[in-house]
């Protein structure tokens, strides 16, 4: 096993660190395993001045571990995932990954652009209605990225680059993608996305971490209290494809404009949208639609006292309540991930936008930049 330390600090290891003592930021690298084609994956451990740690691998740009403090200062890993590269390669519901070229769904795996129809893989079929999901059979979550770690101003970061070739998974154009993770000393994990293309193509990147603010492997997330800054969702059909209608959340189980426990209304009888998603698996139309960085959602976990704020420049937020977790996947703690043991808050443009002319466009053209940022801010109360 290789081990490289970009800036050593005392007692840095693979166990949780105490969050109170200030120290120099650090990045260590270790071998994470080999892919079936022989390529080696690396795990980068970013530690900020307060001991908050994010372990990120260049395979899939995956956040493998994320240690944040509870109200007593105890650090716990708050994201779902695996200890080994082999498990990520074998079977994963996108734990912690960057997904693309198009995050979320495209109806029937088809879209038309500039007079030409493109066919993509149909790798998902809710209610036996086929669609293209999260970039296809080999999306950005299943490739090896080129990684560059750095520490600037006592703040660690990891820049990851990937070139998606013309025709990959059916998409047009050579797409150059850069994703940069920065672990700030205000306990914020910042994600900056940048992409350019030589041919018009849809682009919709997002981060697909499953959170449990009680700690990974510590039960369901139904007691987490959620607020979403959104008065509408994009209603879906049985295949979880948007109908084109922006549905008001008022007087529905989708109204998180004021705080509600995730489990409070998740199984409310008679709600067709909950039935289609098996719970929450929908896109919220964020109140902020001007491209400026704005607060999209807040989460509070009463037992640990941990809080999470999601800030983004994106117009949409996919809230997914872990409805398809089925105990078949065993996580880092050695415990299986049961039904609703994690939740996702994926900042994004809306699903199926290439086929929905009234939705904000996801088409990137040559000479333009896809540039957007999302922040996950951790705290306690």
């Amino acid at each position: 096993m290789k081990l490289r330390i970009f800036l050593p600090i005392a007692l840095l290891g693979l166990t949780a660190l105490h969050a109170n003592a200030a120290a120099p930021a650090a990045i260590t690298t270790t071998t994470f395993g080999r892919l079936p084609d022989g390529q080696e994956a690396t795990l980068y451990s970013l530690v900020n001045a307060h001991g908050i740690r994010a372990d990120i691998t260049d395979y899939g740009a995956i956040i493998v571990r994320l240690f944040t403090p509870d109200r007593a200062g105890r650090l716990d890993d708050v994201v779902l995932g695996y200890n080994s590269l082999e498990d990520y390669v074998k079977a994963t519901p996108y734990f912690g990954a960057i997904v693309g070229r198009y995050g979320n769904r495209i109806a029937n795996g088809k879209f038309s652009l500039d007079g030409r129809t493109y066919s993509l893989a149909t790798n998902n079929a809710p209610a036996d209605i086929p669609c293209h999901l999260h970039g296809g059979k080999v999306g950005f979550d299943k490739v090896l990225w080129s990684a560059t770690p750095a520490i600037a101003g006592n703040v660690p970061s990891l820049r990851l680059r990937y070139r998606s070739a013309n025709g990959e998974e059916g998409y047009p154009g050579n797409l150059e993608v850069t994703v940069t993770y920065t672990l700030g000393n205000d306990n914020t994990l910042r994600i900056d996305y940048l992409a350019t293309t030589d041919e018009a193509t849809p682009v919709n990147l997002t981060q697909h971490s499953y959170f449990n603010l009680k700690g990974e492997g510590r039960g369901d997330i139904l007691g987490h209290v959620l607020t979403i800054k959104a008065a509408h969702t994009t209603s879906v059909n049985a295949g979880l494809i948007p109908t084109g209608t922006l549905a008001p959340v008022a007087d529905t189980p989708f109204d998180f404009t004021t705080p509600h426990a995730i489990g409070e209304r998740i199984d409310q009888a008679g709600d067709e949208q909950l039935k289609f998603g098996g719970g929450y698996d929908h896109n919220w139309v964020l109140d902020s639609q001007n491209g400026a960085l704005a607060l999209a959602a807040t989460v509070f976990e009463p037992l640990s006292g941990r809080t999470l704020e999601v800030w983004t420049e994106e117009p949409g937020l996919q809230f997914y309540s872990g409805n398809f977790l089925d105990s078949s996947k065993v996580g880092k703690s050695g415990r299986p991930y049961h039904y609703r043991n994690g939740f996702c808050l994926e900042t994004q443009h809306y699903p199926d936008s290439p086929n929905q002319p009234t939705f904000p466009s996801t088409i990137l053209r040559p000479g333009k930049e896809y540039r957007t940022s999302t922040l996950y801010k951790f705290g306690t109360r």
Side-chain angles (χ1 to χ4, degrees):
M1 175 182 288
K2 70 179 182 181
L3 173 64
R4 288 193 296 159
I5 303 177
F6 283 77
L7 183 61
I9 63 174
L11 301 179
L12 177 63
L14 293 182
T15 58
L17 302 177
H18 197 274
N20 292 327
I27 303 175
T28 64
T29 68
T30 55
T31 300
F32 196 50
R34 288 191 179 275
L35 295 168
D37 64 3
Q39 293 186 92
E40 184 177 88
T42 300
L43 189 69
Y44 298 82
S45 294
L46 283 60
V47 183
N48 75 2
H50 306 295
I52 308 304
R53 192 176 104 222
D55 292 351
I56 303 165
T57 177
D58 49 7
Y59 176 72
I62 292 168
I63 299 172
V64 176
R65 303 179 190 92
L66 183 56
F67 288 96
T68 69
D70 65 10
R71 64 165 64 93
R74 171 195 166 113
L75 286 174
D76 288 302
D77 184 6
V78 296
V79 295
L80 277 57
Y82 300 123
N83 284 318
S84 75
L85 176 67
E86 180 183 4
D87 284 335
Y88 283 104
V89 172
K90 182 170 59 178
T92 174
Y94 307 97
F95 285 144
I98 294 293
V99 293
R101 187 175 298 195
Y102 198 95
N104 220 306
R105 295 177 169 86
I106 295 177
N108 301 308
K110 294 184 184 298
F111 66 91
S112 295
L113 178 59
D114 297 338
R116 179 177 173 184
T117 297
Y118 294 88
S119 294
L120 313 173
T122 50
N123 59 317
N124 191 245
D128 295 323
I129 301 173
C131 67
H132 176 82
L133 177 66
H134 292 334
K137 294 180 180 178
V138 183
F140 292 176
D141 62 299
K142 298 179 179 68
V143 300
L144 197 65
W145 297 59
S146 174
T148 304
I151 297 176
N154 204 36
V155 174
S157 66
L158 183 67
R159 184 178 63 195
L160 296 133
R161 289 177 170 169
Y162 178 66
R163 184 179 190 270
S164 177
N166 180 40
E168 183 175 276
E169 291 296 311
Y171 289 98
N174 295 295
L175 189 74
E176 303 284 347
V177 184
T178 302
V179 174
T180 303
Y181 291 106
T182 303
L183 187 57
N185 290 324
D186 60 351
N187 298 345
T188 293
L189 182 64
R190 181 184 180 107
I191 309 162
D192 294 304
Y193 303 86
L194 173 65
T196 59
T197 184
D198 59 6
E199 188 176 343
T201 187
V203 183
N204 187 31
L205 307 179
T206 192
Q207 218 295 326
H208 206 294
S209 283
Y210 289 67
F211 295 100
N212 187 327
L213 299 184
K214 290 187 290 189
E216 177 268 337
R218 292 187 180 164
D220 67 52
I221 47 77
L222 299 179
H224 289 60
V225 179
L226 174 66
T227 307
I228 303 178
K229 303 288 188 178
H232 296 82
T233 61
T234 48
S235 63
V236 296
N237 62 22
L240 300 181
I241 298 296
T243 63
T245 299
L246 303 188
V249 301
D251 301 318
T252 78
F254 292 81
D255 188 352
F256 286 93
T257 56
T258 56
H260 288 274
I262 291 173
E264 181 180 337
R265 301 161 299 171
I266 196 169
D267 293 318
Q268 182 171 307
D271 189 281
E272 184 179 58
Q273 291 294 299
L274 286 177
K275 179 182 177 181
F276 287 159
Y280 298 111
D281 191 7
H282 298 73
N283 172 69
W284 269 252
V285 178
L286 296 174
D287 293 340
S288 176
Q289 294 285 311
N290 60 8
L293 192 65
L295 180 63
T298 62
V299 188
F300 170 59
E301 201 293 297
L303 297 177
S304 68
R306 289 187 178 92
T307 61
L308 168 62
E309 292 183 357
V310 181
W311 293 69
T312 190
E313 296 172 334
E314 290 294 289
L317 180 75
Q318 186 84 8
F319 166 43
Y320 169 54
S321 51
N323 313 311
F324 300 108
L325 295 173
D326 61 2
S327 309
S328 63
K329 295 168 180 62
V330 177
K332 293 165 287 185
S333 60
R335 304 183 186 100
Y337 293 141
H338 299 294
Y339 184 53
R340 296 173 176 166
N341 274 194
F343 67 90
C344 303
L345 293 171
E346 306 157 59
T347 59
Q348 59 178 15
H349 272 56
Y350 309 160
D352 198 38
S353 289
N355 295 312
Q356 300 280 352
T358 63
F359 287 1
S361 176
T362 56
I363 303 303
L364 178 66
R365 296 188 177 273
K368 302 294 184 180
E369 289 184 338
Y370 173 96
R371 188 184 290 270
T372 185
S373 299
T374 290
L375 282 64
Y376 292 114
K377 295 186 176 184
F378 295 93
T380 59
R381 74 172 196 247

